[in-house]
Amino acid sequence: MKQGKEVENPESRFFAVLMAAAKLPGVRINREAYLRSALARHCSEEEIRRAIEGTPAAAGITVELLDKVANESIRYETVKVSALSAAAGIPGILALPATVPADTAQYVGHMLRIAQKLAYLYSWPELFSDEGGDVDDATKGMLTLFFGVMFGTQSANAAVGKVAGMLAEQVAKELPKKALTHGVVYPMVKKVAKYLGVKMTTQSFAKGVSKAIPVIGAVVSGGLTLSTYLPMAKRLKKHLAGLPLADPSHRASEGDVVDGEVVEEHETFAPADAELHDADTTAVKLEQPRD
């Protein structure tokens, strides 16, 4: 018996939502502009210049200070996404088909925003090449892994750590495209994407139920967003802050910087977590947000 498009494989579903959200206005963060604005109240002009031209870690900015700036960005994005989610819940059941997809894309868009901000603070390279262009496969893979960390998957943690190690070792200014698209990290990207596709289905269902009742639905929707978005952002912040890439002791001399591809290591991951292996079966469960 044929299934409808709405039950297409979770991996494709996740990538479709991710790409749609990446095209929304204001979702893509300009690394230079963000670092200049975020660090302006905390760092000297020379430190900011070095952070932009190199990385915050190479500029000698401490993780403690970056944590403070990261918390400011998390608070800003959390308030913004929660308010917009509550507003999207007001129309009620008649507008449900329109508001649920829009709210999902909006939610993912804010996840993208905070993922970029945290990545740039903790010394990751530019993720989007321009404001309106297509998202390349390496960026799509890296964002998928960041989302996996936000959702608490240990496999994504390991994969992000692997990529960070490549960047730190080679002092690279670009993502390791080969590893992310068909190399050592790629299988994990696919598994995490499948898991996230299922998770987004269950969370969208929870939001849809809450929006079926006008006004009350708005409060529930905004509260649900707040209770999920904030801990996920903090989870990603904690992981990125703990990687060697964010350590100010890792400083590169100008001649060490590599603009091209990171050399791929011949290494494989252990089998994916049980949570990824059983991802398809979780679609029938409506899980409570984790702190």
Side-chain angles (χ1 to χ4, degrees):
M1 180 177 178
K2 288 187 177 180
Q3 300 293 324
K5 279 190 175 181
E6 66 274 14
V7 289
E8 63 185 346
N9 76 78
E11 180 187 337
S12 297
R13 182 188 306 122
F14 169 72
F15 283 135
V17 174
L18 183 68
M19 294 302 96
K23 293 179 181 179
L24 293 175
V27 165
R28 302 190 187 191
I29 303 296
N30 180 278
R31 177 180 176 275
E32 178 177 348
Y34 169 67
L35 287 177
R36 185 170 295 283
S37 173
L39 299 175
R41 296 191 295 111
H42 307 282
C43 302
S44 67
E45 180 58 34
E46 175 61 17
E47 287 175 321
I48 294 173
R49 183 190 65 78
R50 290 171 59 198
I52 291 171
E53 293 181 358
T55 66
I61 301 174
T62 66
V63 174
E64 290 74 20
L65 177 54
L66 293 176
D67 285 346
K68 180 178 180 179
V69 178
N71 285 333
E72 292 172 355
S73 291
I74 289 174
R75 281 195 297 270
Y76 174 82
E77 294 295 336
T78 301
V79 170
K80 193 172 179 181
V81 71
S82 297
L84 290 173
S85 181
I90 291 175
I93 195 166
L94 295 179
L96 197 58
T99 59
V100 172
D103 192 35
T104 300
Q106 169 187 278
Y107 186 85
V108 173
H110 279 277
M111 288 177 68
L112 284 172
R113 282 178 57 86
I114 196 60
Q116 292 170 83
K117 289 182 175 183
L118 295 175
Y120 299 153
L121 285 174
Y122 294 114
S123 296
W124 288 73
E126 188 88 51
L127 294 171
F128 292 105
S129 57
D130 57 69
E131 180 62 29
D134 292 335
V135 181
D136 64 45
D137 289 339
T139 294
K140 183 166 68 173
M142 197 68 248
L143 291 171
T144 299
L145 295 178
F146 284 157
F147 276 35
V149 173
M150 294 173 85
F151 274 87
T153 69
Q154 292 303 310
S155 298
N157 286 357
V160 169
K162 177 66 177 176
V163 177
M166 293 177 177
L167 291 170
E169 182 178 344
Q170 301 293 327
V171 199
K173 297 180 73 175
E174 293 182 359
L175 291 173
K177 293 182 174 60
K178 186 176 179 182
L180 283 164
T181 56
H182 56 272
V184 64
V185 184
Y186 181 62
M188 193 54 59
V189 171
K190 290 175 65 65
K191 289 182 174 65
V192 171
K194 179 181 179 181
Y195 172 70
L196 293 175
V198 173
K199 290 291 288 184
M200 283 187 173
T201 299
T202 60
Q203 290 204 350
S204 294
F205 175 74
K207 287 187 177 184
V209 171
S210 75
K211 288 175 188 170
I213 306 175
V215 183
I216 295 177
V219 177
V220 174
S221 179
L224 178 63
T225 298
L226 177 63
S227 67
T228 57
Y229 185 89
L230 183 59
M232 287 196 298
K234 288 185 174 180
R235 191 176 291 127
L236 179 60
K237 186 199 95 166
K238 181 179 179 181
H239 186 63
L240 296 183
L243 296 172
L245 192 62
D247 188 348
S249 65
H250 177 74
R251 302 178 185 234
S253 65
E254 201 167 310
D256 291 333
V257 176
V258 178
D259 290 314
E261 177 65 37
V262 175
V263 178
E264 178 184 345
E265 296 181 15
H266 297 286
E267 185 176 337
T268 58
F269 281 103
D273 293 346
E275 60 186 333
L276 298 183
H277 178 71
D278 297 331
D280 287 330
T281 65
T282 64
V284 297
K285 297 180 181 179
L286 187 60
E287 300 179 3
Q288 294 297 322
R290 290 189 293 176
D291 291 330

